[in-house]
Short mmCIF file of all heavy atoms in Angstrom, two decimals:
data_model
loop_
_atom_site.label_atom_id
_atom_site.label_comp_id
_atom_site.label_asym_id
_atom_site.label_seq_id
_atom_site.Cartn_x
_atom_site.Cartn_y
_atom_site.Cartn_z
N SER A 192 106.44 75.44 68.40
CA SER A 192 106.44 76.17 69.69
C SER A 192 105.29 75.70 70.59
O SER A 192 105.47 75.56 71.80
CB SER A 192 106.32 77.67 69.43
OG SER A 192 107.38 78.17 68.65
N ASN A 193 104.16 75.43 69.96
CA ASN A 193 103.01 74.93 70.73
C ASN A 193 103.35 73.54 71.39
O ASN A 193 103.04 73.32 72.56
CB ASN A 193 101.84 74.82 69.85
CG ASN A 193 100.52 74.59 70.62
OD1 ASN A 193 100.50 74.57 71.81
ND2 ASN A 193 99.42 74.37 69.91
N ALA A 194 103.95 72.67 70.56
CA ALA A 194 104.31 71.41 71.12
C ALA A 194 105.35 71.50 72.25
O ALA A 194 105.33 70.78 73.24
CB ALA A 194 104.88 70.52 69.97
N SER A 195 106.34 72.44 72.05
CA SER A 195 107.32 72.63 73.10
C SER A 195 106.71 73.14 74.40
O SER A 195 107.04 72.64 75.49
CB SER A 195 108.40 73.62 72.60
OG SER A 195 109.37 73.90 73.57
N LEU A 196 105.78 74.08 74.27
CA LEU A 196 105.09 74.59 75.48
C LEU A 196 104.26 73.50 76.11
O LEU A 196 104.23 73.38 77.35
CB LEU A 196 104.26 75.76 75.13
CG LEU A 196 104.98 77.06 74.75
CD1 LEU A 196 104.02 78.14 74.26
CD2 LEU A 196 105.73 77.59 75.99
N SER A 197 103.62 72.71 75.29
CA SER A 197 102.79 71.60 75.87
C SER A 197 103.67 70.57 76.55
O SER A 197 103.36 70.08 77.64
CB SER A 197 102.00 70.92 74.76
OG SER A 197 101.10 71.84 74.16
N GLY A 198 104.89 70.28 75.94
CA GLY A 198 105.84 69.39 76.59
C GLY A 198 106.32 69.96 77.92
O GLY A 198 106.52 69.22 78.91
N SER A 199 106.59 71.26 77.92
CA SER A 199 107.04 71.91 79.20
C SER A 199 105.98 71.78 80.25
O SER A 199 106.28 71.54 81.44
CB SER A 199 107.37 73.37 78.89
OG SER A 199 107.72 74.02 80.11
N LEU A 200 104.74 71.99 79.85
CA LEU A 200 103.66 71.83 80.83
C LEU A 200 103.56 70.34 81.28
O LEU A 200 103.29 70.14 82.48
CB LEU A 200 102.34 72.25 80.14
CG LEU A 200 101.11 72.25 81.06
CD1 LEU A 200 101.28 73.14 82.30
CD2 LEU A 200 99.86 72.69 80.30
N ASP A 201 103.74 69.42 80.39
CA ASP A 201 103.71 67.99 80.79
C ASP A 201 104.83 67.71 81.79
O ASP A 201 104.61 66.92 82.76
CB ASP A 201 103.85 67.09 79.56
CG ASP A 201 102.59 67.17 78.68
OD1 ASP A 201 101.57 67.58 79.16
OD2 ASP A 201 102.77 66.83 77.47
N ILE A 202 106.04 68.30 81.59
CA ILE A 202 107.13 68.07 82.49
C ILE A 202 106.79 68.65 83.87
O ILE A 202 107.08 68.01 84.90
CB ILE A 202 108.41 68.69 81.91
CG1 ILE A 202 108.87 67.92 80.68
CG2 ILE A 202 109.54 68.68 83.00
CD1 ILE A 202 110.07 68.55 80.01
N ALA A 203 106.20 69.79 83.87
CA ALA A 203 105.82 70.41 85.11
C ALA A 203 104.82 69.55 85.88
O ALA A 203 104.87 69.37 87.09
CB ALA A 203 105.26 71.82 84.86
N ARG A 204 103.86 69.04 85.13
CA ARG A 204 102.88 68.12 85.75
C ARG A 204 103.51 66.85 86.27
O ARG A 204 103.17 66.34 87.31
CB ARG A 204 101.74 67.80 84.73
CG ARG A 204 100.84 69.00 84.44
CD ARG A 204 99.93 68.71 83.30
NE ARG A 204 99.04 69.83 83.02
CZ ARG A 204 98.33 69.95 81.90
NH1 ARG A 204 98.39 69.01 80.95
NH2 ARG A 204 97.54 71.01 81.74
N ALA A 205 104.47 66.30 85.44
CA ALA A 205 105.13 65.10 85.90
C ALA A 205 105.98 65.37 87.10
O ALA A 205 106.10 64.49 88.00
CB ALA A 205 106.04 64.56 84.74
N THR A 206 106.56 66.56 87.22
CA THR A 206 107.37 66.91 88.37
C THR A 206 106.48 66.94 89.62
O THR A 206 106.86 66.50 90.70
CB THR A 206 108.03 68.24 88.18
OG1 THR A 206 108.90 68.19 87.01
CG2 THR A 206 108.89 68.64 89.40
N LEU A 207 105.30 67.50 89.44
CA LEU A 207 104.35 67.52 90.61
C LEU A 207 103.90 66.12 90.91
O LEU A 207 103.75 65.72 92.12
CB LEU A 207 103.17 68.44 90.25
CG LEU A 207 102.17 68.68 91.39
CD1 LEU A 207 102.84 69.35 92.54
CD2 LEU A 207 100.97 69.47 90.93
N ASP A 208 103.68 65.31 89.88
CA ASP A 208 103.26 63.90 90.14
C ASP A 208 104.36 63.12 90.80
O ASP A 208 104.07 62.09 91.45
CB ASP A 208 102.79 63.29 88.84
CG ASP A 208 102.22 61.88 89.05
OD1 ASP A 208 101.16 61.78 89.66
OD2 ASP A 208 102.86 60.89 88.60
N ALA A 209 105.58 63.54 90.63
CA ALA A 209 106.72 62.82 91.26
C ALA A 209 106.66 62.87 92.79
O ALA A 209 107.34 62.10 93.47
CB ALA A 209 108.09 63.36 90.76
N LEU A 210 105.88 63.83 93.33
CA LEU A 210 105.69 63.84 94.77
C LEU A 210 104.91 62.60 95.23
O LEU A 210 104.89 62.31 96.43
CB LEU A 210 104.92 65.12 95.13
CG LEU A 210 105.71 66.44 94.89
CD1 LEU A 210 104.80 67.63 95.20
CD2 LEU A 210 106.97 66.47 95.73
N ASN A 211 104.24 61.93 94.32
CA ASN A 211 103.59 60.63 94.64
C ASN A 211 104.62 59.58 94.30
O ASN A 211 104.84 59.22 93.15
CB ASN A 211 102.33 60.45 93.82
CG ASN A 211 101.29 61.52 94.14
OD1 ASN A 211 101.11 61.90 95.29
ND2 ASN A 211 100.60 62.01 93.10
N LEU A 212 105.26 59.06 95.31
CA LEU A 212 106.37 58.10 95.13
C LEU A 212 105.80 56.71 94.78
O LEU A 212 105.04 56.15 95.58
CB LEU A 212 107.20 57.99 96.39
CG LEU A 212 108.46 57.14 96.31
CD1 LEU A 212 109.40 57.65 95.25
CD2 LEU A 212 109.13 57.05 97.65
N ARG A 213 106.15 56.21 93.59
CA ARG A 213 105.58 54.91 93.13
C ARG A 213 106.74 53.92 92.88
O ARG A 213 107.92 54.34 92.64
CB ARG A 213 104.80 55.10 91.83
CG ARG A 213 103.61 56.01 92.00
CD ARG A 213 102.80 56.18 90.69
NE ARG A 213 101.70 57.10 90.85
CZ ARG A 213 100.53 56.82 91.34
NH1 ARG A 213 100.27 55.55 91.69
NH2 ARG A 213 99.58 57.71 91.46
N ALA A 214 106.41 52.65 92.91
CA ALA A 214 107.40 51.61 92.63
C ALA A 214 107.74 51.51 91.17
O ALA A 214 106.83 51.28 90.35
CB ALA A 214 106.90 50.25 93.19
N PRO A 215 109.00 51.69 90.81
CA PRO A 215 109.34 51.59 89.38
C PRO A 215 109.30 50.18 88.82
O PRO A 215 109.10 49.97 87.64
CB PRO A 215 110.77 52.16 89.31
CG PRO A 215 111.34 51.96 90.68
CD PRO A 215 110.16 52.07 91.62
N VAL A 216 109.48 49.19 89.66
CA VAL A 216 109.45 47.76 89.29
C VAL A 216 108.80 46.95 90.38
O VAL A 216 108.60 47.43 91.52
CB VAL A 216 110.89 47.19 88.98
CG1 VAL A 216 111.53 47.89 87.77
CG2 VAL A 216 111.77 47.34 90.21
N SER A 217 108.49 45.72 90.04
CA SER A 217 107.93 44.81 91.07
C SER A 217 109.07 44.14 91.80
O SER A 217 110.12 43.81 91.23
CB SER A 217 107.06 43.75 90.44
OG SER A 217 106.00 44.37 89.73
N GLY A 218 108.87 43.91 93.11
CA GLY A 218 109.87 43.25 93.91
C GLY A 218 109.68 43.51 95.38
O GLY A 218 108.62 43.89 95.83
N GLN A 219 110.76 43.26 96.13
CA GLN A 219 110.76 43.49 97.56
C GLN A 219 111.35 44.81 97.95
O GLN A 219 112.47 45.10 97.59
CB GLN A 219 111.49 42.32 98.31
CG GLN A 219 111.39 42.40 99.83
CD GLN A 219 112.07 41.26 100.49
OE1 GLN A 219 112.92 40.60 99.93
NE2 GLN A 219 111.69 40.99 101.73
N LEU A 220 110.57 45.60 98.70
CA LEU A 220 111.05 46.89 99.14
C LEU A 220 111.91 46.76 100.35
O LEU A 220 111.51 46.18 101.36
CB LEU A 220 109.80 47.80 99.44
CG LEU A 220 110.10 49.21 99.87
CD1 LEU A 220 110.76 50.02 98.79
CD2 LEU A 220 108.78 49.91 100.34
N THR A 221 113.13 47.34 100.32
CA THR A 221 114.03 47.22 101.43
C THR A 221 114.70 48.59 101.69
O THR A 221 114.68 49.49 100.81
CB THR A 221 115.17 46.17 101.17
OG1 THR A 221 115.88 46.60 99.97
CG2 THR A 221 114.60 44.80 100.95
N ALA A 222 115.24 48.75 102.87
CA ALA A 222 115.87 49.98 103.30
C ALA A 222 114.98 51.20 103.17
O ALA A 222 115.39 52.33 102.89
CB ALA A 222 117.17 50.21 102.51
N PHE A 223 113.63 50.96 103.39
CA PHE A 223 112.63 52.05 103.24
C PHE A 223 112.16 52.41 104.63
O PHE A 223 111.37 51.72 105.25
CB PHE A 223 111.47 51.50 102.41
CG PHE A 223 110.48 52.57 102.00
CD1 PHE A 223 110.80 53.49 101.08
CD2 PHE A 223 109.23 52.60 102.57
CE1 PHE A 223 109.88 54.47 100.70
CE2 PHE A 223 108.31 53.52 102.19
CZ PHE A 223 108.65 54.52 101.25
N SER A 224 112.67 53.55 105.17
CA SER A 224 112.45 53.90 106.55
C SER A 224 112.00 55.33 106.74
O SER A 224 112.28 55.95 107.74
CB SER A 224 113.72 53.63 107.40
OG SER A 224 114.78 54.40 106.85
#
């Protein structure tokens, strides 16, 4: 249960961190307006 709660907290933090949009791979960025 502790691990599940910790994972839930990590998901919540990752969701908040998703507001910082990052490049998933290297390459040329297109259609970004």
